[in-house]
Amino acid sequence: MLKIRFKDNKYNAVWLVEPKITIGRSATNALVIDDPIAGDVHIEVLVDNENLILNNLLPAIPVMVNDVKVISSCELKPDDQITIGAVELIVIDPKRESKSLAEDTSNNTELRGAKNTGWSLKANHAALANRVFPLKELMVIGRANDCDISLAAAHLSRRHAQLQVVDGMLFVKDLGSANGTFLNGQQVTEARVRRGDELRFDALTFGVMGPADDLAKTSVRKLSDKTPDSKPEPKSAEKASARVQRPVPPTRASSPHPKAGKAAEGGNKGRLGLIFLGILAVVVITALIFTRK
């Protein structure tokens, strides 16, 4: 599928979808041009796959295609240039242009002289192919060619809204647009924008990418400060180790007392004496018996 865009703006193209698109000053056109010589609906481009026919709807005001005057109609091909007054358009094949877009961004309106603020808008619209627009400290978005972010959208105002970064914070301000500026679905005149919010200008929606909020940063620091307290005290671990490794003293059974040994020896001698006296008594009694006979 082919596209058409302003010659000096490589990032704001309109798909040439079947059966046709129109070009002119009216906001109802698929591609809106701002030139006093152009009519409200000046051109229509008939689309049949990649076969394009340009029809000049106002023959009294000629249209130039590759520097050739077209009063009625002509065939269009990729890289053809169309001129109406001071406006220059070009037909492009996205497949062939993708490499050159990546290599050459020096003439890109959105990126010229850009200072890295850390903020950017990511398009959520298929026509913008999820492009990311880095934001400078002060930028204007709209349909006019002199806007910092110039988008050829039918219902976008010429100067639709202002985006400004102040002390690292992003703010959006509606510039009296016809169809409004919306932050997370709510229409706003001026508001602060945070990372993760959704901005909508007319039907074009963008996701907001940027630095984390200061409150979120503070919370992270507090959590990290508390981390060392959660470590166990080494002294308690040493004490526990000391309790486990303390040697066990020997029991009394393993080392008998000297006095106990002496008492045992005395008891043995007493038993032997009684046995001896018993034997002696038996002998004496036996002798007396035999003497009497």
Side-chain angles (χ1 to χ4, degrees), residues 223-234:
L223 289 174
S224 62
D225 291 341
K226 292 182 179 180
T227 303
D229 295 341
S230 62
K231 294 182 180 179
E233 294 182 1

Side-chain angles (χ1 to χ4, degrees), residues 19-283:
K20 68 177 181 179
I21 71 159
T22 58
I23 302 171
R25 296 183 63 185
S26 173
T28 59
N29 293 289
L31 182 59
V32 179
I33 59 176
D34 186 18
D35 190 277
I37 197 175
D40 288 341
V41 182
H42 201 120
I43 296 173
E44 69 176 7
V45 180
L46 304 180
V47 182
D48 181 11
N49 195 7
E50 293 190 357
N51 299 315
L52 309 175
I53 300 295
L54 179 146
N55 290 329
N56 183 0
L57 302 179
L58 299 174
I61 306 174
V63 174
M64 306 295 290
V65 176
N66 299 328
D67 296 327
V68 177
K69 187 181 297 185
V70 176
I71 297 176
S72 57
S73 63
C74 71
E75 185 180 357
L76 288 178
K77 294 180 180 179
D79 299 327
D80 281 352
Q81 297 185 29
I82 306 165
T83 305
I84 307 174
V87 176
E88 294 181 323
L89 307 174
I90 187 170
V91 178
I92 62 170
D93 184 345
K95 296 176 184 177
R96 292 193 302 180
E97 197 179 48
S98 58
K99 291 183 180 179
S100 61
L101 289 178
E103 295 171 356
D104 181 18
T105 57
S106 59
N107 294 325
N108 180 18
T109 307
E110 297 82 19
L111 300 179
R112 65 176 186 269
K115 180 181 178 181
N116 184 15
T117 62
W119 292 94
S120 57
L121 299 183
K122 182 179 180 181
N124 296 331
H125 199 280
L128 297 177
N130 297 322
R131 286 204 56 81
V132 175
F133 299 89
L135 299 181
K136 298 185 292 184
E137 292 182 347
L138 181 63
M139 299 185 75
V140 174
I141 182 170
R143 198 179 72 245
N145 290 339
D146 60 348
C147 290
D148 298 285
I149 301 178
S150 178
L151 304 171
H155 301 292
L156 197 67
S157 296
R158 293 185 69 256
R159 293 173 63 85
H160 196 102
Q162 173 183 286
L163 296 162
Q164 186 172 14
V165 179
V166 180
D167 295 331
M169 296 179 291
L170 177 62
F171 296 87
V172 63
K173 180 180 180 181
D174 187 81
L175 298 178
S177 64
N179 295 310
T181 297
F182 296 82
L183 176 62
N184 298 325
Q186 299 293 323
Q187 187 169 2
V188 296
T189 302
E190 188 170 1
R192 182 184 174 188
V193 183
R194 291 174 171 82
R195 182 175 69 174
D197 286 348
E198 181 186 79
L199 277 173
R200 177 162 62 88
F201 310 103
D202 179 34
L204 300 178
T205 60
F206 298 84
V208 178
M209 299 186 296
D213 195 278
D214 292 339
L215 180 60
K217 292 181 181 178
T218 304
S219 301
V220 172
R221 284 197 295 270
K222 286 183 178 179
L223 289 174
S224 62
D225 291 341
K226 292 182 179 180
T227 303
D229 295 341
S230 62
K231 294 182 180 179
E233 294 182 1
K235 291 184 179 180
S236 61
E238 292 175 1
K239 291 178 182 178
S241 176
R243 287 198 298 269
V244 173
Q245 296 178 2
R246 184 180 296 170
V248 180
T251 60
R252 292 182 180 181
S254 63
S255 179
H257 198 276
K259 291 183 179 181
K262 291 181 180 180
E265 290 178 2
N268 291 335
K269 290 180 179 180
R271 284 194 294 273
L272 290 174
L274 289 174
I275 293 171
F276 176 76
L277 288 175
I279 295 172
L280 182 61
V282 171
V283 172

